[in-house]
Amino acid sequence: MDIWKWVNEAQAEARRMGNTRLAELIDRLPTVVTEDAHTQVDALFPEALALARQAKSPWLEVFFRHWNLQSRIFHRSEPGEWLSESISLLEFAHREETRECPQSVCSTQDVAGCYGRADGPGWASERKAVVLETLSRIDPSWPCFTCLSTEYFLGLLDEERFEEALAWLEKQEAALVAAGQGHKRKYLLGERGDVLLALGRLPEALATAEEYEATTSSDHSRVEARILQARVLARMGRTSEALEVLPSLSAVRATPGHYGSWAGALAQLRKAGGIGNDANLERTLLELAGRLASTGAIRGAVRIEVQRAEAALERGQPHSALHACERLEALVPRLRKPLGADETLRQLRARAEALMSERPPEPPESAAALLELAEARPEDVLRMLDAARTRWPGERATLVRAQAKALERLGRGEEAEVALRSLLDADAHPTPDVVHELGMNLLERRRFTELHALADSVLSTSGDTPLRVEAYRLRARAALESGDKAAAKAPMRAMLELDPELRGTTLALAAVERDTGEREQALARLDAAVARWPEPGPHDWDRVLVATLLGRWDVVRASAARLGIKLSGDSGPVEEEWEPCRLRYTEPDGTFTEVWARRTGPVTARVVSIAMPDSAQHVGDVVAFDATPLNEGPAEGEEEDHSWLYPVVEVLRPGRYSVFALDGVGPGDEAIERMYETLGACGARLSVRTSETYRLTSPEGEEVPGFFALLAVPPEADLGEVEAGLRRCAEGLPHPVLWPTLLEKLGREQEAEAQRAVAEEWEISL
């Protein structure tokens, strides 16, 4: 069954009724879910649900709620918070008005996945039963067939019935082939790789993982495939290759659905000697386990805490192992069935306590040296503290700071806060160091109320200048971290009144004034900075930026000359052709977009890259950027391939291009060259994005090369003339090239629908 047919029809109906935003969201929400763009999911879902209800479409409500749960449960592993919603959707999807909706079947997967992520082994038999019942009501032509087959497979995997799990996959794959759906076997490749790895069939597992990555179009699945490859390679002892393919922590941090397999890759690499078993590993595992525990993914949290304890014992650190045991004692009772977790905990605790009785490392020569050691060897420092307190009874403050620093280094911020507060409570006149360290602890954990209370307490009780500067600094940092730049100005100005030589604060305040509309004030401050610190430096770059925003080209040229930058001409605006660069936009929803651009001056650039039509579009923008790059410089020998990445500060002249997708069958090089010439003459820009792997199948079953391109049209171009040129280029082609969104923009709905009908015949997504 084509489960998407009704979705496409609903999308077309929404367009016909003039509800273009609903039509966009029908297409966009599943896309951002599969791209792990969770911030966008959270921004789009409430609007999509409201529009579905406004359109009185219970089927679309099922659709949108299901895709939100896909993000929340399968990608972000949040079963605790979303179990009630998954059960509610299951009930809603089986009402009279929704029972026939093809998407209603998916609500079973949502519930099964929710229980599976809370405690997979504990709910394995129940999950398998409900999945089998639902599978009996569909056939292999349904896309849900592979999804539900996966859920049953995961139940077998959680029961460690690996041979049965592999046999189940082979049975389901055979059913797909028999139903003429053999191409859908690729959706089970990740599961096949997992079970082959569990069975120790490593070469087959690696080949499957590589095929999985090569055949998926989903960002989420691509990351999953690379983690699987890393796990297999590590088991094979090929650790350098495993490290090369393993996604970084930053790439998986926002998607806890990856945590279990990613932590498993770390465990394999640790055992193979591919990564260090150290404080960095301890902090990482604690972060992952803590996030899963907080979202109700209890079995996953238990597994990672066990890994953490085992790693700590392996490196001889009983303090960290006991900490993991304490967290396990809180987690294990939350499992539906312990299934051996309680016995594992007992054994780990016994081993940790035995190791704890061994003699700790000797403290260094002084308490101050212990404080310095806390960054490099935090676990050793925690073990040294008892002996250190006996040796240096008068150094309590230094030792507590060493303890707090070690705890911070290990990711145990709450405990570090308790230690630092004990100093604050005991000393009527705390040092700036203690206030700074406690403030930064609170800031990192986004405890803004407590941070402001700390600053208020210092300012109300102390007249000491360094202490007051630190209190104002914390207020300013809190305001900036919470996104309230305007509120940061007063404490920054207070700091400079106390100490005018604070160069970093001067530049930071000028940047805040620049971004909050006080640009003349910012420029005056930077003029004064140039006078106070006459050597060229960052204050000149900041001055160039503010002057550019104000159109003060005389100042731009003056600071550029101080920096040794030669500009053409002696006066007027700077508009040159410099090297390519990359720019990072911060979108209204807080996400980032990176684009290619051509620098036109010290802090200006023109965007040249064209984004997909449903993405943030910036082609043609002329922007001002902060000249402090966001990326590292090139390694030796890589200078030619390196490009700097800069943050956009403001769009000086928006491009306002309209961008449309062209899709269809490859027309050949001559026809493509004709498109470039014809559309360019109309003022439009064509960007062909076709890859060699893009293939289409004709309605008659013939496989042909696909063609995909983006057409960017500036506001001054005649859209009708562009479309006419495109039509001339497509005349006489043996196979279709389609542009329905361009026709819709021109109000030619009938022609657009005709093209969409052709797209459906060719299974082209437009």
Side-chain angles (χ1 to χ4, degrees):
M1 177 178 181
D2 183 1
I3 197 173
W4 288 98
K5 186 173 186 296
W6 78 268
V7 177
N8 295 332
E9 290 171 352
Q11 192 174 23
E13 177 64 18
R15 287 197 186 94
R16 279 194 294 271
M17 299 299 292
N19 198 341
T20 55
R21 182 57 176 165
L22 178 61
E24 289 172 5
L25 291 172
I26 291 170
D27 179 65
R28 186 66 183 150
L29 189 64
T31 300
V32 294
V33 170
T34 58
E35 290 175 349
D36 281 334
H38 307 304
T39 302
Q40 293 184 54
V41 174
D42 294 345
L44 297 178
F45 171 65
E47 181 187 4
L49 183 59
L51 289 174
R53 288 172 173 170
Q54 183 179 321
K56 294 182 171 53
S57 175
W59 284 29
L60 281 178
E61 178 171 344
V62 171
F63 176 80
F64 287 133
R65 289 173 67 182
H66 162 67
W67 278 103
N68 180 56
L69 286 173
Q70 287 283 301
S71 169
R72 291 291 185 173
I73 296 170
F74 294 88
H75 292 236
R76 286 186 269 183
S77 282
E78 297 177 349
E81 184 179 351
W82 293 91
L83 176 59
S84 60
E85 163 64 3
S86 68
I87 294 171
S88 171
L89 178 59
L90 183 66
E91 183 277 326
F92 182 79
H94 288 81
R95 293 180 184 177
E96 185 175 348
E97 67 269 27
T98 53
R99 191 178 299 122
E100 298 304 316
C101 174
Q103 207 83 49
S104 66
V105 175
C106 302
S107 62
T108 300
Q109 182 205 14
D110 295 333
V111 172
C114 202
Y115 281 111
R117 276 141 190 85
D119 182 4
W123 289 99
S125 59
E126 291 84 356
R127 289 157 54 213
K128 290 190 308 178
V130 72
V131 166
L132 281 180
E133 190 279 327
T134 307
L135 276 171
S136 69
R137 293 188 278 115
I138 65 172
D139 61 60
S141 68
W142 290 60
C144 314
F145 182 83
T146 53
C147 299
L148 291 168
S149 296
T150 294
E151 289 303 314
Y152 189 88
F153 163 86
L154 291 174
L156 292 169
L157 209 63
D158 282 333
E159 294 173 328
E160 299 186 359
R161 295 160 63 179
F162 303 134
E163 293 287 358
E164 288 181 59
L166 182 57
W168 166 260
L169 283 183
E170 290 172 346
K171 174 189 170 187
Q172 300 307 93
E173 289 171 350
L176 287 168
V177 172
Q181 302 291 314
H183 60 285
K184 293 181 181 177
R185 288 178 296 173
K186 67 181 181 180
Y187 299 124
L188 298 174
L189 285 171
E191 287 68 35
R192 174 174 282 277
D194 279 332
V195 73
L196 289 170
L197 174 59
L199 290 167
R201 293 163 59 172
L202 302 183
E204 294 171 78
L206 181 59
T208 301
E210 290 171 344
E211 184 183 358
Y212 182 26
E213 182 184 7
T215 57
T216 185
S217 59
S218 157
D219 290 346
H220 179 86
S221 297
R222 192 171 296 110
V223 171
E224 210 168 55
R226 293 178 72 83
I227 295 172
L228 177 57
Q229 289 175 53
R231 290 164 58 207
V232 179
L233 288 165
R235 276 276 295 276
M236 298 172 86
R238 295 160 60 179
T239 55
S240 59
E241 295 171 75
L243 286 168
E244 185 176 343
V245 77
L246 183 67
S248 66
L249 175 59
S250 62
V252 302
R253 180 174 270 126
T255 307
H258 293 312
Y259 284 7
S261 57
W262 194 82
L266 293 190
Q268 293 292 345
L269 284 164
R270 186 194 87 232
K271 292 171 184 175
I275 59 170
N277 185 359
D278 52 20
N280 289 328
L281 180 63
E282 166 72 11
R283 182 185 179 104
T284 297
L285 293 178
L286 177 59
E287 177 188 340
L288 302 186
R291 174 72 182 276
L292 291 177
S294 71
T295 62
I298 306 304
R299 184 68 67 171
V302 166
R303 286 171 172 158
I304 295 178
E305 288 290 2
V306 168
Q307 290 177 30
R308 187 163 78 92
E310 289 174 341
L313 291 169
E314 184 182 289
R315 65 178 178 270
Q317 293 295 349
H319 193 284
S320 293
L322 285 171
H323 184 262
C325 289
E326 290 169 9
R327 291 170 66 90
L328 282 167
E329 284 174 348
L331 289 169
V332 169
R334 296 172 63 187
L335 294 170
R336 183 168 188 255
K337 298 175 184 176
L339 300 175
D342 47 356
E343 177 59 21
T344 298
L345 169 58
R346 189 193 65 76
Q347 293 174 5
L348 289 170
R349 179 168 282 285
R351 291 169 60 195
E353 288 173 348
L355 189 59
M356 197 73 174
S357 65
E358 296 181 7
R359 185 174 179 176
E362 282 294 314
E365 68 280 0
S366 67
L370 191 72
L371 177 59
E372 292 178 7
L373 194 64
E375 177 68 25
R377 293 168 54 194
E379 293 172 303
D380 285 342
V381 165
L382 293 178
R383 295 188 67 198
M384 295 172 186
L385 282 173
D386 286 342
R389 291 183 185 109
T390 301
R391 184 176 300 181
W392 302 300
E395 295 284 356
R396 177 175 178 272
T398 302
L399 295 179
V400 170
R401 289 177 59 209
Q403 177 189 13
K405 188 174 182 181
L407 290 167
E408 288 275 11
R409 177 73 177 81
L410 295 169
R412 292 159 60 178
E414 289 185 13
E415 295 171 73
E417 179 191 350
V418 171
L420 291 169
R421 284 196 183 279
S422 72
L423 282 183
L424 203 66
D425 295 341
D427 191 349
H429 303 288
T431 65
D433 285 338
V434 171
V435 172
H436 172 76
E437 288 161 16
L438 178 55
M440 295 307 293
N441 173 293
L442 296 169
L443 188 67
E444 184 174 336
R445 293 161 53 225
R446 302 186 71 79
R447 300 276 296 278
F448 297 123
T449 300
E450 292 90 339
L451 188 146
H452 283 297
L454 171 64
D456 291 345
S457 174
V458 170
L459 293 171
S460 64
T461 60
S462 177
D464 180 70
T465 294
L467 261 179
R468 294 181 70 82
V469 165
E470 189 57 47
Y472 284 125
R473 191 192 315 277
L474 292 175
R475 276 187 174 175
R477 290 287 299 270
L480 293 174
E481 284 290 323
S482 59
D484 189 355
K485 290 185 178 182
K489 289 185 286 192
M492 284 183 174
R493 287 167 181 163
M495 288 171 67
L496 291 175
E497 287 179 10
L498 290 167
D499 186 354
E501 293 298 321
L502 295 171
R503 189 182 305 204
T505 303
T506 298
L507 300 188
L509 176 55
V512 169
E513 290 170 334
R514 175 197 76 204
D515 293 343
T516 56
E518 295 184 89
R519 291 178 175 170
E520 294 289 354
Q521 172 68 31
L523 185 57
R525 192 175 301 281
L526 292 167
D527 287 343
V530 168
R532 182 183 289 274
W533 300 295
E535 71 284 3
H539 43 296
D540 280 293
W541 282 106
D542 289 357
R543 187 171 178 239
V544 166
L545 175 54
V546 176
T548 297
L549 295 171
L550 289 169
R552 291 286 306 278
W553 299 107
D554 55 329
V555 178
V556 170
R557 291 175 178 277
S559 262
R562 282 169 46 82
L563 291 165
I565 300 172
K566 293 183 179 179
L567 300 175
S568 60
D570 298 322
S571 62
V574 177
E575 189 88 25
E576 304 186 1
E577 289 290 317
W578 291 11
E579 76 279 3
C581 66
R582 290 178 294 141
L583 301 173
R584 177 180 290 174
Y585 283 78
T586 300
E587 305 297 347
D589 64 0
T591 58
F592 297 124
T593 300
E594 292 185 7
V595 299
W596 280 98
R598 171 76 64 176
R599 286 184 73 172
T600 58
V603 295
T604 55
R606 183 178 59 256
V607 177
V608 297
S609 58
I610 305 170
M612 295 292 286
D614 57 355
S615 300
Q617 192 63 249
H618 299 291
V619 62
D621 286 358
V622 175
V623 308
F625 59 82
D626 188 325
T628 303
L630 296 170
N631 58 336
E632 299 285 338
E636 186 175 350
E638 298 180 0
E639 292 82 2
E640 286 189 12
D641 296 326
H642 182 268
S643 59
W644 293 109
L645 173 64
Y646 302 106
V648 172
V649 172
E650 185 172 297
V651 177
L652 301 176
R653 295 196 303 274
R656 295 197 178 94
Y657 277 66
S658 298
V659 175
F660 307 94
L662 311 183
D663 208 333
V665 180
D669 293 341
E670 286 188 18
I672 292 173
E673 188 60 37
R674 189 163 62 251
M675 285 184 189
Y676 275 117
E677 293 175 3
T678 302
L679 298 171
C682 298
R685 284 183 52 197
L686 185 70
S687 175
V688 176
R689 303 292 180 89
T690 305
S691 68
E692 293 181 2
T693 60
Y694 182 32
R695 311 288 292 180
L696 294 173
T697 303
S698 74
E700 295 74 35
E702 176 191 3
E703 186 177 90
V704 293
F707 170 76
F708 183 82
L710 297 176
L711 178 64
V713 184
E716 64 271 15
D718 185 321
L719 205 57
E721 184 181 333
V722 171
E723 197 279 333
L726 193 54
R727 189 175 294 276
R728 289 195 301 274
C729 292
E731 284 176 359
L733 293 178
H735 297 302
V737 173
L738 309 168
W739 53 91
T741 54
L742 174 53
L743 292 167
E744 287 167 353
K745 182 77 171 181
L746 289 166
R748 289 152 60 178
E749 296 289 343
Q750 193 170 355
E751 294 174 68
E753 283 303 313
Q755 287 205 1
R756 290 193 182 278
V758 174
E760 189 171 332
E761 289 178 11
W762 283 78
E763 296 185 356
I764 295 171
S765 297
L766 268 173

